[in-house]
Amino acid sequence: MKKIILFLSFLILIQTEFAFAQNQDYDFNLDEFEKKSFDCRGYLSLNPKITVDNKEQRLYSAINELQIEPSYKKDWINLKANFSFFAMLYSKEDNDYKFIINNLYQTFGEDFSLSLGKQSLKWGKGYIYNPIAFLDRVKNPLDPESVREGYYLLKLQYIQTPEGDILQNHSFTFVYMPSSYDLNKDFYTKEHSYNNVAFKYYALILDTDIDLIYMQEEKVNKYGIDLSKNLSEELEVHGELSYFNEQNEYLIGFKYAAPYDLTLTTEYYKKQGDNFIYNKLSQKDAFGIIYSTAYVSYQKNLDQNKYQVIFSFKYDFKNGFVVESIATKSSQDKSLGLKTTYYF
Amino acid sequence: MKKIFCIPLTIFIFYSLAFAKDDILSKIDRRLNPESFESYRKLINIEPDGTKKEFILYTIKKGKDKVASLFLSPKSDQGRSTLRLGENMWLYIPGIAKPLRIASMQSVTGGVFNNSDIMRVDFSVEYTVVSQKKEENYLILDLKAKNDSVAYEKLIMKVKNDLPVQIQCYAGGILIKTITYSKIKDFGNGIVRPAIMETTSPLQKGYKSVIVFARLKPRKLKDSYFTLDFLPKLEDIRK
């Protein structure tokens, strides 16, 4: 483990020195950024972690990921893909290796578009949970930004921008998603395949974002609505509500963006009958260190008295390397991790 | 009878003068860029010790207050995009979530520039001319924000040949930053404007942020490019 950290430190230093040695004038050569038919980017992320459970047992682990995002656009071909290869190493369990196709889809058209393939829709306005994301994978509450894998589906979308001050723009989306044992298995129940369909209407009315959703999954009708609006320059409010099987789930939250990049996010939500609260206070350029971000988050299941606190400090070395130290404490365990990501 | 004619005449003269003052802002806006255009910009944050962080942005703008930008560099930010429609601003981070609302006074890039500096709309949308005076070869404009949501309540703009030379930005009665325009460049299509904007702030002593324009050309753009649904597809319209 020490050798890995030393090697990473050496690489970061070499890269940083190289970045400092770049020329000091304002030359701007666009050749490097000219549009190419084929593009590929990605990152390599190493994430060693030590976890201590309530019985004081220690578990060493390292969740390492190589993510590659190729794209190809020429004439009518507009292909986008995103692949992840995970190497999950554990001190007390068997190691696990996984290859995941997060996205792989073709898009035709602009205002009226058709997308076909594996893709994530990312419906909803909530940060920690999205009751109306009927066709997305459930977010990981430990790391809500980590879930990237989509489902195989067909998406038709029409964007319209009418003249007028009240309705600024709106869009109509239709989604068809088949589910079977081999395809979109999460939606496969009762041992027979099914055709799921969903409609979404989005509108920016005055300064408010609104989504209305209807979905038919098996024989269940699902309804959803979300809203997002700035009450003032600093204060944004958002909310989501879903209704199906005579039950509802909801989320209400706000984000206060103070000057000097201090942001407070608070969300209250109801998920599968339980009530949760989530708070996150984040500061960019924390402790006067430019390109750093520090945050503390607190999440609690109010019905089961379970909680989780996360402290994080992240620094962008300006050369592709981003290092983040993460300390967590929850009802079950505590952990300390150091995540190093290199973007290429 | 004289009074009956005098009142509307006074109103007419007052409004004519007010519009003439604001007309200079529209003139400056059109000298800086056409109504509908695309551009490539390099944003450089310079720290007190001279170290830099650079961002390359592909930006499209239509009308007075529709702006969308796509980050082409650095690699850690590549694919991120921002949208501004009037006072509303959003940030889209690929793979993470739907576009999130962001505040004008915060900064997606860090450094001296805030979001409203990076996604600047026409001056005539946000400001009105309170007064103007001549000083040597320059015209000094005192600008007042039209409403509370504008990032800076007051600007003092030094203008030469209908182009800004220097802008002092005030908020809460305090000088927040000074923007200096330099290196007049012919971008073609009749666009002759400063290629460099340097920004310093007394609140961040020693730090400097610079925007360098490399390409700026008129382009007919669809309104649909300036929507949340289109933000993930901004790369597709780059030629």
Side-chain angles (χ1 to χ4, degrees):
Chain A
M1 185 71 76
K2 273 183 185 170
K3 281 181 183 171
I4 293 173
I5 292 170
L6 278 172
F7 177 66
L8 284 170
S9 306
F10 174 72
L11 272 180
I12 291 167
L13 278 171
I14 291 279
Q15 290 275 331
T16 307
E17 287 303 315
F18 177 74
F20 286 179
Q22 302 290 303
N23 60 4
Q24 297 292 306
D25 57 26
Y26 300 150
D27 283 350
F28 186 2
N29 185 358
L30 260 180
D31 295 348
E32 193 190 333
F33 302 100
E34 293 295 347
K35 176 97 174 174
K36 299 176 193 90
S37 299
F38 178 74
D39 185 45
C40 188
R41 60 180 186 243
Y43 63 75
L44 175 66
S45 174
L46 306 178
N47 190 8
K49 189 164 86 169
I50 176 170
T51 307
V52 181
D53 66 18
N54 285 342
K55 292 173 189 165
E56 292 299 313
Q57 287 190 315
R58 290 182 175 207
L59 169 72
Y60 295 92
S61 64
I63 313 291
N64 308 311
E65 182 190 8
L66 172 66
Q67 187 177 109
I68 297 172
E69 194 174 332
S71 63
Y72 184 81
K73 188 173 189 304
K74 193 172 187 184
D75 303 327
W76 60 269
I77 305 170
N78 187 3
L79 269 171
K80 288 187 173 73
N82 187 304
F83 309 112
S84 285
F85 176 73
F86 285 97
M88 293 170 282
L89 315 175
Y90 302 102
S91 60
K92 290 184 180 173
E93 295 169 30
D94 290 341
N95 296 336
D96 196 7
Y97 303 92
K98 264 198 308 194
F99 173 74
I100 295 174
I101 299 171
N102 294 315
N103 292 302
L104 177 61
Y105 63 96
Q106 158 75 27
T107 303
F108 303 92
E110 287 185 347
D111 298 6
F112 187 73
S113 64
L114 166 69
S115 302
L116 190 64
K118 192 172 188 183
Q119 54 197 304
S120 30
L121 298 169
K122 306 281 183 192
W123 286 354
K125 301 284 188 241
Y127 175 75
I128 190 76
Y129 180 61
N130 299 109
I132 67 162
F134 300 136
L135 292 166
D136 283 305
R137 282 167 209 273
V138 177
K139 283 179 175 174
N140 174 4
L142 300 176
D143 186 2
E145 297 179 355
S146 63
V147 179
R148 292 177 180 234
E149 189 181 0
Y151 288 110
Y152 291 94
L153 50 88
L154 176 150
K155 185 175 89 171
L156 272 171
Q157 188 173 66
Y158 177 57
I159 306 171
Q160 203 187 24
T161 50
E163 295 286 328
D165 295 331
I166 295 172
L167 179 59
Q168 309 230 14
N169 64 69
H170 60 165
S171 67
F172 305 84
T173 306
F174 166 76
V175 179
Y176 166 70
M177 190 185 83
S179 58
S180 67
Y181 182 77
D182 300 312
L183 197 69
N184 301 324
K185 207 174 173 181
D186 293 347
F187 291 80
Y188 171 73
T189 53
K190 296 177 187 170
E191 296 181 347
H192 63 83
S193 54
Y194 197 79
N195 297 318
N196 306 291
V197 290
F199 299 90
K200 182 167 83 76
Y201 173 71
Y202 161 78
L204 175 61
I205 300 172
L206 293 172
D207 293 326
T208 306
D209 294 307
I210 298 172
D211 288 288
L212 299 170
I213 293 170
Y214 166 74
M215 179 181 168
Q216 193 178 59
E217 180 188 345
E218 294 243 4
K219 284 175 183 170
V220 179
N221 292 318
K222 294 183 171 184
Y223 304 90
I225 182 171
D226 73 16
L227 297 162
S228 170
K229 179 183 172 58
N230 270 80
L231 292 181
S232 69
E233 167 55 28
E234 300 87 6
L235 185 64
E236 180 261 357
V237 290
H238 55 266
E240 291 183 38
L241 172 68
S242 70
Y243 178 81
F244 57 94
N245 286 338
E246 296 181 347
Q247 287 188 329
N248 62 53
E249 288 191 352
Y250 57 84
L251 175 141
I252 183 157
F254 72 82
K255 188 169 77 172
Y256 181 72
Y260 307 109
D261 287 295
L262 177 70
T263 306
L264 172 67
T265 307
T266 292
E267 292 183 339
Y268 174 84
Y269 62 99
K270 186 181 166 190
K271 178 184 175 186
Q272 294 165 354
D274 282 359
N275 295 283
F276 296 81
I277 190 153
Y278 174 79
N279 293 299
K280 182 180 179 183
L281 186 67
S282 76
Q283 173 73 66
K284 270 181 103 174
D285 301 343
F287 314 115
I289 303 167
I290 193 167
Y291 310 125
S292 71
T293 306
Y295 77 77
V296 54
S297 71
Y298 176 76
Q299 187 178 190
K300 188 172 185 183
N301 181 327
L302 299 169
D303 295 294
Q304 296 184 22
N305 208 24
K306 287 180 181 170
Y307 73 95
Q308 184 199 306
V309 188
I310 300 175
F311 296 93
S312 159
F313 181 81
K314 186 159 77 173
Y315 183 74
D316 185 334
F317 280 85
K318 306 184 280 279
N319 53 11
F321 277 99
V322 176
V323 176
E324 183 179 11
S325 62
I326 309 158
T328 67
K329 170 90 178 75
S330 74
S331 319
Q332 285 86 37
D333 56 34
K334 54 192 172 191
S335 70
L336 185 64
L338 185 72
K339 186 176 180 180
T340 304
T341 307
Y342 178 67
Y343 293 87
F344 54 84
Chain B
M1 183 61 86
K2 273 184 185 173
K3 277 184 186 171
I4 293 170
F5 286 109
C6 278
I7 293 168
L9 189 66
T10 311
I11 293 170
F12 174 76
I13 291 167
F14 176 78
Y15 274 99
S16 301
L17 286 172
F19 280 119
K21 276 182 185 172
D22 285 344
D23 201 39
I24 181 70
L25 280 188
S26 302
K27 240 184 211 177
I28 291 166
D29 288 329
R30 289 296 68 83
R31 281 296 307 273
L32 286 172
N33 49 254
E35 279 246 353
S36 183
F37 72 94
E38 65 174 11
S39 72
Y40 285 85
R41 297 182 290 169
K42 176 154 77 172
L43 198 154
I44 313 164
N45 286 336
I46 305 167
E47 294 170 56
D49 64 1
T51 57
K52 295 176 179 179
K53 186 176 184 184
E54 298 185 348
F55 301 83
I56 308 295
L57 295 164
Y58 169 71
T59 300
I60 55 171
K61 182 169 176 285
K62 185 174 184 182
K64 289 172 178 286
D65 63 355
K66 289 180 186 155
V67 189
S69 289
L70 172 73
F71 284 77
L72 305 177
S73 176
K75 294 285 185 190
S76 53
D77 289 343
Q78 203 177 343
R80 289 183 179 209
S81 48
T82 57
L83 173 67
R84 181 172 184 183
L85 297 174
E87 293 159 12
N88 298 292
M89 294 183 193
W90 295 267
L91 168 68
Y92 168 73
I93 303 173
I96 302 292
K98 286 297 264 185
L100 303 165
R101 281 177 178 259
I102 52 174
S104 67
M105 286 300 274
Q106 294 202 332
S107 178
V108 292
T109 57
V112 185
F113 283 124
N114 62 31
N115 294 333
S116 73
D117 296 325
I118 299 163
M119 293 180 270
R120 201 183 63 74
V121 297
D122 281 3
F123 288 112
S124 56
V125 170
E126 296 190 311
Y127 294 95
T128 185
V129 181
V130 175
S131 67
Q132 59 183 63
K133 61 180 177 185
K134 280 240 168 192
E135 268 184 22
E136 297 173 1
N137 295 326
Y138 300 102
L139 182 66
I140 311 294
L141 300 176
D142 184 349
L143 310 180
K144 187 186 164 196
K146 287 182 176 173
N147 58 57
D148 292 342
S149 66
V150 178
Y152 313 111
E153 67 194 22
K154 176 183 163 175
L155 301 181
I156 301 291
M157 187 187 282
K158 197 174 178 181
V159 180
K160 189 177 183 182
N161 299 329
D162 297 334
L163 283 171
V165 175
Q166 192 185 68
I167 302 174
Q168 291 176 314
C169 312
Y170 292 82
I174 302 166
L175 176 67
I176 300 290
K177 63 184 66 163
T178 302
I179 305 169
T180 307
Y181 293 76
S182 61
K183 199 180 174 185
I184 301 284
K185 183 180 168 181
D186 187 346
F187 288 90
N189 299 294
I191 305 164
V192 181
R193 57 154 289 163
I196 294 173
M197 286 167 62
E198 287 183 86
T199 305
T200 54
S201 170
L203 306 177
Q204 290 163 280
K205 280 185 180 154
Y207 289 91
K208 184 158 76 171
S209 288
V210 181
I211 288 180
V212 185
F213 285 83
R215 190 183 293 166
L216 200 163
K217 62 177 183 183
R219 180 173 168 187
K220 280 191 176 175
L221 298 160
K222 294 181 187 175
D223 285 324
S224 60
Y225 295 167
F226 302 88
T227 60
L228 291 194
D229 286 305
F230 208 87
L231 265 186
K233 299 187 256 184
L234 217 48
E235 173 69 36
D236 294 349
I237 64 161
R238 216 159 66 85
K239 289 177 180 169

